[in-house]
């Protein structure tokens, strides 16, 4: 039986479109014990004609953490609406990741699709694809400034200073995701839509990280290290014992590289607008939490490489 998560007259934050607004619950109803509760809300400062009936998945408790999320979503929304429109090509180029893979976009953009007769599609089809691309729900994740600076430093250490993040990471990506989950689940009701979403995000982040690490998250200089890491975790000796995948080996830097690539990934899925909004909220919360714990999870010191490694790295393809 669904649990009532909010009370009449409670002040809450409520999703309306992409943003969270302050609201007050005017009425709570439940048609049957097996049905979810319905909440009639009044948005602060809005006319009564905007009062709305919503389920608990659109509501958030009025606390400091959720207020911070609401402000971050608002800032991101205003930034996205103030920027000039871009073409599909420039849009995709900019979304590949501000700090991400050295793999060029040409590696991901295959040759022009063909029709069933094997002929290249004409200009009309290309225009139609561009319109479809623009109409897909887009997700702009607000990355905290400090994490952005760490990613820039990370890029410089690897690509300019030819240094590497020591592996295996003492706090690898899977551990980071699990520790966030364990802390965040205490704020959610078991069996609720919010808890279900948290579990889906946890599983999805882990799964995609393992798939994406070797494909899009490495700088070219790191690929020889990746080759050596695969061998080490396959053998499972010493500090590598129990580490069976990329998520058990690589840490916060590579995890954040993946998160800044999410806009490009989402643009190529059939995810609906509501799901996009929920994912953005979860990623915003996760990054805010990670931003508060950077000293715990990010690498304090990169390791220098010898000439032998530099020579070997030149022969490993990007």
């Amino acid at each position: 039986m669904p649990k009532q998560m909010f009370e009449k007259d409670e002040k809450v934050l409520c999703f309306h479109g992409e943003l969270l607004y302050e609201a007050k619950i005017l009425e709570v109803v439940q048609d049957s014990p097996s049905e979810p509760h319905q909440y009639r809300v009044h948005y602060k400062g809005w006319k009564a004609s905007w009062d709305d009936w919503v389920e608990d998945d659109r509501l958030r408790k009025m606390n400091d953490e959720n207020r911070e999320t609401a402000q971050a979503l608002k800032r991101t929304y205003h930034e996205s609406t103030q920027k000039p429109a871009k073409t599909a090509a420039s849009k995709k180029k900019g979304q590949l990741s501000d700090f991400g893979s050295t793999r060029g976009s040409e590696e991901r953009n295959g040759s022009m699709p063909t029709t069933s007769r094997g002929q290249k599609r004409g200009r009309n089809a290309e225009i139609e694809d561009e319109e479809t691309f623009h109409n897909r729900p887009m997700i702009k994740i607000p990355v905290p400034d400090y994490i952005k600076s760490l990613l820039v430093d990370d890029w410089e250490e690897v690509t300019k200073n030819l240094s590497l993040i020591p592996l295996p990471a003492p706090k690898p990506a899977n551990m980071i995701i699990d520790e966030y989950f364990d802390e965040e689940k205490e704020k959610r009701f078991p069996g609720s839509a919010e808890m279900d979403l948290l579990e889906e995000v946890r599983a999805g982040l882990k799964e995609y990280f393992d798939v994406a690490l070797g494909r899009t998250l490495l700088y070219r200089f790191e690929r020889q290290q990746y080759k050596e890491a695969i061998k080490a975790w396959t053998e499972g000796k010493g500090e590598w014992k129990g580490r069976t995948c990329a998520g058990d080996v690589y840490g916060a830097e590579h995890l954040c590289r993946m998160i800044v690539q999410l806009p490009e990934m989402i643009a190529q899925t059939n995810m609906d607008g509501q799901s996009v909004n929920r994912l953005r909220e979860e990623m915003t919360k996760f990054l805010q939490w990670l931003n508060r714990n950077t000293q715990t999870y990010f690498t304090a010191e990169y390791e220098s490489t010898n000439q032998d490694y530099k020579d070997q790295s030149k022969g490993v393809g990007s």
Side-chain angles (χ1 to χ4, degrees):
M1 181 171 61
K3 183 175 181 179
Q4 181 177 333
M5 298 175 63
F6 302 90
E7 302 294 332
K8 183 178 180 295
D9 296 327
E10 182 177 353
K11 292 182 179 180
V12 295
L13 292 167
C14 182
F15 268 105
H16 185 85
E18 299 182 359
L19 303 178
L20 280 165
Y21 297 91
E22 291 188 30
K24 181 179 180 180
I25 296 177
L26 303 178
E27 189 176 352
V28 183
V29 299
Q30 186 180 30
D31 294 334
S32 70
S34 61
E35 294 292 322
H37 290 82
Q38 300 283 333
Y39 304 87
R40 187 162 70 91
V41 299
H42 172 72
Y43 298 101
K44 182 179 178 181
W46 295 31
K47 294 181 179 180
S49 58
W50 286 97
D51 290 357
D52 199 5
W53 284 97
V54 302
E55 294 185 6
D56 56 31
D57 62 345
R58 280 180 55 186
L59 298 174
R60 300 293 182 267
K61 291 290 184 180
M62 183 71 77
N63 56 39
D64 291 341
E65 181 181 1
N66 288 333
R67 286 193 188 97
E68 185 180 354
T69 300
Q71 290 300 315
L73 293 175
K74 184 177 180 181
R75 286 193 300 270
T76 302
Y77 176 78
H78 287 311
E79 288 172 3
S80 65
T81 56
Q82 290 171 1
K83 289 182 179 178
K86 298 180 180 179
T87 64
S90 64
K91 207 168 194 178
K92 291 185 79 172
K93 181 179 179 182
Q95 288 169 347
L96 289 177
S97 166
D98 294 335
F99 322 98
S101 167
T102 53
R103 285 171 164 242
S105 59
E106 69 276 3
E107 293 188 25
R108 281 193 278 261
N109 303 337
S111 59
M112 184 182 294
T114 59
T115 65
S116 58
R117 295 184 180 181
Q119 298 175 341
K120 290 185 178 181
R121 297 184 298 175
R123 179 172 175 79
N124 289 341
E126 292 178 28
I127 294 174
E128 180 180 353
D129 284 348
E130 183 172 334
E131 291 175 351
T132 300
F133 179 84
H134 281 300
N135 290 332
R136 288 176 179 168
M138 300 299 293
I139 176 172
K140 185 173 176 63
I141 301 172
V143 180
D145 289 341
Y146 186 59
I147 288 183
K148 287 181 182 178
S149 70
L150 290 176
L151 288 173
V152 172
D153 291 343
D154 172 54
W155 175 80
E156 289 183 346
E157 285 286 351
V158 178
T159 65
K160 302 298 182 182
N161 300 338
L162 301 183
S163 300
L164 294 171
I165 296 173
L167 297 179
K171 294 277 189 176
N174 285 346
M175 181 184 295
I176 295 171
I177 295 167
D178 284 339
E179 290 186 0
Y180 170 73
F181 175 85
D182 290 341
E183 183 175 323
E184 182 65 21
K185 71 180 181 181
E186 300 300 324
K187 307 171 186 176
R188 310 194 186 192
F189 290 100
S192 67
E194 279 190 293
M195 178 59 79
D196 291 342
L197 179 59
L198 180 63
E199 291 174 346
E200 289 176 8
V201 169
R202 175 197 196 186
L205 285 176
K206 288 184 175 183
E207 181 178 357
Y208 187 77
F209 186 81
D210 283 337
V211 172
L213 191 283
R215 296 182 181 180
T216 66
L217 304 184
L218 297 174
Y219 298 113
R220 177 169 183 166
F221 190 68
E222 294 175 304
R223 298 202 67 80
Q224 174 63 26
Q225 184 192 37
Y226 175 59
K227 182 180 177 181
E228 296 170 358
I230 293 175
K231 181 180 179 181
W233 84 57
T234 301
E235 294 176 350
K237 298 179 181 178
E239 63 181 342
W240 294 86
K241 186 176 182 180
R243 300 177 189 263
T244 60
C245 61
D248 295 331
V249 173
Y250 288 82
E253 291 82 4
H254 292 84
L255 181 59
C256 286
R257 291 185 202 175
M258 183 189 76
I259 292 175
V260 297
Q261 289 185 13
L262 279 177
E264 180 195 6
M265 298 186 299
I266 299 303
Q268 300 186 38
T269 70
N270 295 321
M271 188 177 292
D272 60 78
Q274 185 178 27
S275 297
V276 167
N277 289 338
R278 291 175 178 175
L279 177 59
R280 176 174 53 199
E281 182 192 4
E282 290 297 331
M283 289 297 94
T284 299
K285 286 185 175 181
F286 175 72
L287 287 174
Q288 289 170 347
W289 173 84
L290 189 58
N291 193 51
R292 295 192 294 268
N293 295 279
T294 52
Q295 291 186 343
T296 301
Y297 297 114
F298 280 78
T299 301
E301 186 174 350
Y302 286 66
E303 61 182 16
S304 59
T305 56
N306 56 34
Q307 189 59 46
D308 184 52
Y309 179 89
K310 293 182 176 71
D311 293 340
Q312 289 182 355
S313 68
K314 293 178 182 179
V316 179
S318 60

